[in-house]
Each structure stands twice: as structure tokens, then as C-alpha cells.
Amino acid sequence: MEATVLNPVQLHLLNMFSYNRDEESLLELKEVLFNHYCQKVSEEGKRIWKEKNLTNETMHEMLNAHSRTPYL
């Protein structure tokens, strides 16, 4: 069996869980992590939107382009 190396984030979370053993703490931690990653995704989306000069109009055009691959 191959050994798995944990990254620093995983190690930190394991250390945190060794102190917080109740369900409420787990739910709070899940919410914090969820919000953190939602913020990161939002920031990346805004960066891509700006980098590609996207607008609401270009998004509507892309949605209505019907550029699907035809099936034979």
C-alpha cells in the first residue's frame, strides 16, 4: 500500500478537529470553509470576466448561439 502525504492544509484541519469534537463546531467549520471557497470562485470568475472583456450581452450571445455539435 502506498503512503499518502498530507499537505499543510490537511494537517492543519486534522489538528483543529482533534480539539473540536462536537457537531456544532463541525457545522461552523464547514460553513467557514464553504464561504471561503465561494469567495475564491467569485474572485476568479470576476478576473476571467475582466480578462476576456465579457459583458452581459456577450454572455447572452453565447447562450443563444446554438453552437452544439450536431449528432449524426
Side-chain angles (χ1 to χ4, degrees), residues 23-37:
E23 187 70 20
E24 186 177 339
S25 294
L26 173 61
L27 293 174
E28 289 173 358
L29 183 57
K30 283 181 177 182
E31 184 175 355
V32 167
L33 289 171
F34 177 80
N35 290 335
H36 170 75
Y37 285 108

Side-chain angles (χ1 to χ4, degrees), residues 1-62:
M1 182 177 274
E2 187 176 326
T4 301
V5 178
L6 300 177
N7 66 44
V9 172
Q10 292 168 322
L11 289 171
H12 184 76
L13 289 173
L14 285 173
N15 285 329
M16 287 178 62
F17 280 120
S18 70
Y19 299 109
N20 296 324
R21 296 174 190 243
D22 63 333
E23 187 70 20
E24 186 177 339
S25 294
L26 173 61
L27 293 174
E28 289 173 358
L29 183 57
K30 283 181 177 182
E31 184 175 355
V32 167
L33 289 171
F34 177 80
N35 290 335
H36 170 75
Y37 285 108
C38 281
Q39 180 181 354
K40 294 292 184 185
V41 167
S42 179
E43 290 170 0
E44 181 67 6
K46 288 177 184 177
R47 184 190 67 76
I48 292 169
W49 187 275
K50 186 174 182 178
E51 177 183 290
K52 300 207 180 271
N53 295 318
L54 297 174
T55 64
N56 286 338
E57 184 177 310
T58 57
M59 294 306 292
H60 285 292
E61 288 172 5
M62 290 168 66

